Amino acid sequence: HKVAKNHFLISKKRSVDETIRYLHPVHSNFTMFDNATNDTFDPIEAMKAQEETAHCYNYLQSDGCNCIDESSRKSMVTWCQKVQKSLQLSPETAWIAVSLFDRYLSSGKCKSQEALKDKYKFQLAAITSFYIAVKVHEEFVELDTVTLAKLCRGYYAAADIASMEGDILFALDWRVSCPTPMDFARQMVEFLPEKISSSMSEYILEVTQEYIDHSATDFFFSFCKPSVIGASCLASTLTGSDILSISERQAFWLELARITDMIEVVEAQDKLLAGKAPTKPVTSLSAARKSSVDPKAAAFYQPKTPIASITSSPVCMTQTARQA
């Protein structure tokens, strides 16, 4: 990374877009693990090593951070998720954007402290983090600063976004790639018994993604490692179902304990189930029974707690987000 970054600084011929793609090719997206075997390469251990380079702290407790609070962050996370859905992008793109946003504000470098004291710059950092995430994670989507400025209805100029992009990249030392909770969940679902069909596994991951989306709006989870979030969301998906026997459930938890901190996982799961759960598990069950999905996949989820809908209103860049 340092070699590439220094080359960029010295020559100044490589654009920011080209440098990001050079450092983190979107074609990889952890597909380098697909052909790996347990004998030669452990994808989970590799991702765990990488997640150790991305830490966050409670930046909302910083001096002078009086105008920014958890509701401000939640507004911008909600905006990222709504734009992601509107543009039909991967849910992981929104999660990456939030991760970049939190890591930038936690870095204490460049102009990150100014963003914690100014709502305008705080929102700009979130918008630009989403812009970077699209370039890093989306292979077939090109979102330029001009288009993004239009999405903001002119509240931010393309030059403002480009300037903030450089600030975020330098603050993070160009480390914009990090495994997502779903990267871990896809690996962990392999710990389930062989009797679990592929269609059921896909459905389990679909519900798990809903939990991950919800966790992104809670500031608590910004301090959790992606492996812990992935494990807690997958465990929450399986909670209350009878898809696994007692012995199978114990075997699954033992596998999770082998690769992650179960104390942190249980704490995160309790926090997740104590809040508002995703709406999809309930609303999609009847439809799933009528579809070609494995009937067991449609019936396995029986939540222990009522499922509440997320009632946050759409974030408008010219109105609501200004008040974040």
Side-chain angles (χ1 to χ4, degrees), residues 282-293:
V282 168
T283 58
S284 62
L285 282 177
S286 59
R289 291 193 180 97
K290 298 178 182 179
S291 68
S292 59
V293 176

Side-chain angles (χ1 to χ4, degrees), residues 2 10 23 82 112 119 122 141 196 217 223 242 270:
K2 290 182 179 179
I10 294 173
L23 289 171
K82 289 185 179 296
S112 61
K119 291 183 179 180
F122 180 81
V141 177
I196 306 299
T217 64
F223 313 125
D242 57 0
D270 289 343

Side-chain angles (χ1 to χ4, degrees), residues 2-306:
K2 290 182 179 179
V3 173
K5 185 176 73 173
N6 289 338
H7 174 71
F8 169 79
L9 292 174
I10 294 173
S11 66
K12 296 185 180 180
K13 293 181 179 180
R14 187 187 299 275
S15 67
V16 173
D17 288 13
E18 291 172 332
T19 305
I20 289 179
R21 295 184 185 278
Y22 174 76
L23 289 171
H24 308 281
V26 291
H27 297 287
S28 64
N29 194 24
F30 294 101
T31 54
M32 58 182 174
F33 301 137
D34 293 346
N35 298 323
T37 64
N38 291 332
D39 295 334
T40 59
F41 193 70
D42 188 336
I44 291 181
E45 289 303 319
M47 291 189 294
K48 285 187 65 180
Q50 190 172 13
E51 74 175 352
E52 290 296 333
T53 64
H55 295 288
C56 294
Y57 73 91
N58 190 352
Y59 53 80
L60 294 180
Q61 291 184 343
S62 301
D63 294 337
C65 187
N66 298 325
C67 63
I68 304 297
D69 55 21
E70 290 189 31
S71 64
S72 306
R73 176 188 177 277
K74 185 174 182 179
S75 292
M76 299 317 302
V77 172
T78 303
W79 180 86
C80 288
Q81 292 177 336
K82 289 185 179 296
V83 174
Q84 165 257 309
K85 292 176 182 177
S86 297
L87 298 179
Q88 298 183 339
L89 304 178
S90 167
E92 290 176 84
T93 297
W95 187 91
I96 292 172
V98 175
S99 175
L100 294 173
F101 180 53
D102 287 330
R103 288 165 54 197
Y104 170 66
L105 296 177
S106 296
S107 69
K109 299 178 181 178
C110 300
K111 300 179 180 179
S112 61
Q113 293 302 306
E114 295 181 16
L116 291 172
K117 301 175 182 179
D118 187 302
K119 291 183 179 180
Y120 179 90
K121 294 181 180 178
F122 180 81
Q123 297 170 58
L124 179 59
I127 296 165
T128 307
S129 295
F130 180 81
Y131 171 61
I132 297 173
V134 172
K135 291 199 291 185
V136 170
H137 190 71
E138 297 292 341
E139 182 175 357
F140 303 106
V141 177
E142 291 188 6
L143 179 64
D144 56 37
T145 55
V146 175
T147 302
L148 189 58
K150 291 180 180 178
L151 287 175
C152 299
R153 301 185 181 182
Y155 192 57
Y156 295 99
D160 296 330
I161 298 172
S163 177
M164 177 59 76
E165 178 186 19
D167 200 65
I168 292 176
L169 293 175
F170 279 101
L172 299 182
D173 198 24
W174 296 76
R175 295 180 181 274
V176 295
S177 181
C178 180
T180 69
M182 275 302 290
D183 286 321
F184 283 99
R186 293 188 189 98
Q187 296 293 328
M188 293 172 180
V189 79
E190 298 298 324
F191 299 154
L192 294 175
E194 294 183 358
K195 70 177 185 180
I196 306 299
S197 65
S198 59
S199 60
M200 185 180 294
S201 295
E202 291 175 2
Y203 185 77
I204 290 173
L205 288 175
E206 187 177 344
V207 178
T208 298
Q209 180 65 69
E210 290 283 336
Y211 275 109
I212 293 173
D213 291 345
H214 175 69
S215 71
T217 64
D218 192 328
F219 190 49
F220 168 85
F221 290 93
S222 65
F223 313 125
C224 299
K225 297 177 182 178
S227 59
V228 172
I229 298 175
S232 63
C233 290
L234 179 57
S236 297
T237 301
L238 297 172
T239 294
S241 73
D242 57 0
I243 190 174
L244 300 178
S245 65
I246 295 178
S247 60
E248 289 171 338
R249 190 184 300 273
Q250 291 175 340
F252 177 73
W253 280 100
L254 285 174
E255 286 293 337
L256 289 185
R258 183 179 62 83
I259 61 172
T260 189
D261 188 326
M262 287 308 300
I263 295 179
E264 294 182 1
V265 171
V266 172
E267 182 182 5
Q269 184 184 11
D270 289 343
K271 176 70 173 179
L272 192 65
L273 294 178
K276 295 179 179 179
T279 59
K280 196 162 191 174
V282 168
T283 58
S284 62
L285 282 177
S286 59
R289 291 193 180 97
K290 298 178 182 179
S291 68
S292 59
V293 176
D294 189 326
K296 291 183 179 180
F300 89 97
Y301 188 85
Q302 297 296 331
K304 289 183 177 179
T305 56

